[in-house]
Amino acid sequence: MYIASNWKDYEVIDTGNGDKLERWGNYTLRRPDPQIIWPITNETGLWKTSDGHYHRSSSGGGQWEFRSKLPERWTISYGPLSFHIRPTNFKHTGLFPEQAVNWDWIMERIRSADRPIRVLNLFGYTGGATVAAAAAGAEVCHVDAAKGMVQWCKENAELSGLQNAPIRYITDDVFKFVQREQRRERQYDAIIMDPPSYGRGTNGETWKLEENLYPFVELCMSILSDKPLFILINSYTTGISPSVLHNILSMTVGRKYGGQIHCGEIGLPITNSGLNLPCGILGRWESGE
């Protein structure tokens, strides 16, 4: 498992009974997590006094209960990267801290390339990977279908001192955007994607990971440069194993360019138990340089 263990502003304090107790900077939040099927060892202390507790509803969704007055948003940092945190209606906070293992890898790969690198971040959300790539010196194109997420990414870049970095912010359907980039003959040295399990486009198009991921990766191959540096695929879809991502990368970019493929679970350390919390999977292809 790839463990995001270098955080100072974030921590999984404890887990159990379908919930995780987290520290986000100066605030503690209790949120549900379907992977946590073991009991809470001792439901006292911060479990009872967390600043925010997201309660699941039996009919789906849920709502926040705030025990203290939280700011509308606050900032946490990971090394040189800074992010706005804000509890949203769907239990999320605007950041997936386990992705820090990928940010470290992205920055290392870009810096060690010792050449200009153009990165495309698809399904880019609030831009953790975009900010990491830009901080390492890459030119980045950030694409997400949600205008609010693209604006949030821009704010995170500014927080990280990257307001003048060469970042393009695009609000668009990622599939259509890649098709247009193909027609424009625009190329990228690295592609990052975090596709959803299911999605619906502006004109009613549907995205199902099981049906669309392979042809989408094939499409992305058409906008890779002659000397690609890496491809990174993240997935939070239940039932998709790291081996699936390995096979897809092997049959596409690996078959054409060689290189190395590494896949596995991604997770976070749990302070109180010393265990690791599984949070998703990743698939990485990287060139031999």
Side-chain angles (χ1 to χ4, degrees), residues 126-169:
T126 61
T130 292
V131 173
E139 176 185 336
V140 189
C141 181
H142 176 96
V143 186
D144 196 279
K147 184 177 181 180
M149 296 299 103
V150 175
Q151 178 60 32
W152 200 332
C153 173
K154 189 173 184 179
E155 293 167 1
N156 285 337
E158 292 171 354
L159 277 177
S160 301
L162 298 167
Q163 58 270 19
N164 297 319
I167 304 174
R168 294 168 64 206
Y169 300 96

Side-chain angles (χ1 to χ4, degrees), residues 1 12 14-22 31-40 47 56 91-92 96 98 197 235-242 264-268 270 273 275-282:
M1 184 183 286
V12 179
D14 203 358
T15 59
N17 294 354
D19 282 346
K20 55 188 172 184
L21 180 65
E22 307 164 289
R31 299 191 296 155
D33 188 310
Q35 297 275 26
I36 300 170
I37 60 174
W38 49 88
I40 295 174
W47 276 114
R56 287 165 293 186
K91 83 175 182 179
H92 298 301
F96 291 90
E98 63 273 9
S197 302
S235 177
Y236 291 89
T237 301
T238 303
I240 298 294
S241 78
E265 285 189 285
I266 187 170
L268 290 160
I270 305 168
S273 66
L275 302 174
N276 294 316
L277 176 64
C279 300
I281 62 173
L282 62 78

Side-chain angles (χ1 to χ4, degrees), residues 253-261 285-286:
V253 63
R255 181 173 292 170
K256 182 173 181 179
Y257 295 101
Q260 298 180 338
I261 297 170
W285 172 88
E286 55 187 304

Side-chain angles (χ1 to χ4, degrees), residues 155-183:
E155 293 167 1
N156 285 337
E158 292 171 354
L159 277 177
S160 301
L162 298 167
Q163 58 270 19
N164 297 319
I167 304 174
R168 294 168 64 206
Y169 300 96
I170 306 293
T171 304
D172 202 353
D173 176 273
V174 296
F175 204 97
K176 293 176 181 176
F177 177 81
V178 172
Q179 289 176 321
R180 282 197 294 274
E181 293 292 84
Q182 182 185 27
R183 291 194 293 270

Side-chain angles (χ1 to χ4, degrees), residues 13-284:
I13 301 169
D14 203 358
T15 59
N17 294 354
D19 282 346
K20 55 188 172 184
L21 180 65
E22 307 164 289
R23 177 179 60 83
W24 296 84
N26 295 325
Y27 303 99
T28 55
L29 300 178
R30 178 173 177 171
R31 299 191 296 155
D33 188 310
Q35 297 275 26
I36 300 170
I37 60 174
W38 49 88
I40 295 174
T41 302
N42 187 13
E43 193 172 356
T44 59
L46 289 174
W47 276 114
K48 298 293 188 183
T49 61
S50 60
D51 297 297
H53 182 182
Y54 188 89
H55 295 275
R56 287 165 293 186
S57 169
S58 58
S59 58
Q63 62 182 4
W64 284 99
E65 172 195 1
F66 294 108
R67 296 191 177 94
S68 59
K69 180 66 175 177
L70 293 181
E72 181 181 349
R73 64 182 185 182
W74 64 94
T75 302
I76 68 171
S77 296
Y78 182 81
L81 315 179
S82 294
F83 308 98
H84 278 317
I85 300 302
R86 184 177 74 243
T88 68
N89 293 336
F90 299 100
K91 83 175 182 179
H92 298 301
T93 63
L95 196 69
F96 291 90
E98 63 273 9
Q99 288 296 325
V101 292
N102 281 326
W103 305 337
D104 289 339
W105 179 76
I106 288 166
M107 290 189 285
E108 189 278 328
R109 292 299 298 147
I110 291 170
R111 287 170 178 155
S112 64
D114 198 28
R115 60 183 172 97
I117 298 296
R118 178 180 289 174
V119 177
L120 176 61
N121 187 13
L122 300 167
F123 311 95
Y125 194 50
T126 61
T130 292
V131 173
E139 176 185 336
V140 189
C141 181
H142 176 96
V143 186
D144 196 279
K147 184 177 181 180
M149 296 299 103
V150 175
Q151 178 60 32
W152 200 332
C153 173
K154 189 173 184 179
E155 293 167 1
N156 285 337
E158 292 171 354
L159 277 177
S160 301
L162 298 167
Q163 58 270 19
N164 297 319
I167 304 174
R168 294 168 64 206
Y169 300 96
I170 306 293
T171 304
D172 202 353
D173 176 273
V174 296
F175 204 97
K176 293 176 181 176
F177 177 81
V178 172
Q179 289 176 321
R180 282 197 294 274
E181 293 292 84
Q182 182 185 27
R183 291 194 293 270
R184 295 175 186 132
E185 298 184 352
R186 193 188 300 268
Q187 295 185 326
Y188 296 88
D189 304 296
I191 297 176
I192 301 163
M193 64 179 76
D194 193 350
S197 302
Y198 179 83
R200 188 173 294 275
T202 54
N203 295 320
E205 312 95 334
T206 59
W207 164 279
K208 293 182 180 178
L209 188 88
E210 298 89 339
E211 298 176 4
N212 297 112
L213 181 58
Y214 184 88
F216 185 65
V217 173
E218 276 197 318
L219 175 64
C220 289
M221 290 274 293
S222 67
I223 59 171
L224 278 178
S225 67
D226 293 335
K227 194 179 179 184
L229 184 64
F230 67 79
I231 289 181
L232 169 63
I233 304 174
N234 292 296
S235 177
Y236 291 89
T237 301
T238 303
I240 298 294
S241 78
S243 295
V244 171
L245 298 186
H246 189 283
N247 291 346
I248 290 173
L249 290 168
S250 295
M251 296 172 68
T252 54
V253 63
R255 181 173 292 170
K256 182 173 181 179
Y257 295 101
Q260 298 180 338
I261 297 170
H262 301 280
C263 301
E265 285 189 285
I266 187 170
L268 290 160
I270 305 168
T271 300
N272 283 6
S273 66
L275 302 174
N276 294 316
L277 176 64
C279 300
I281 62 173
L282 62 78
R284 298 171 176 172

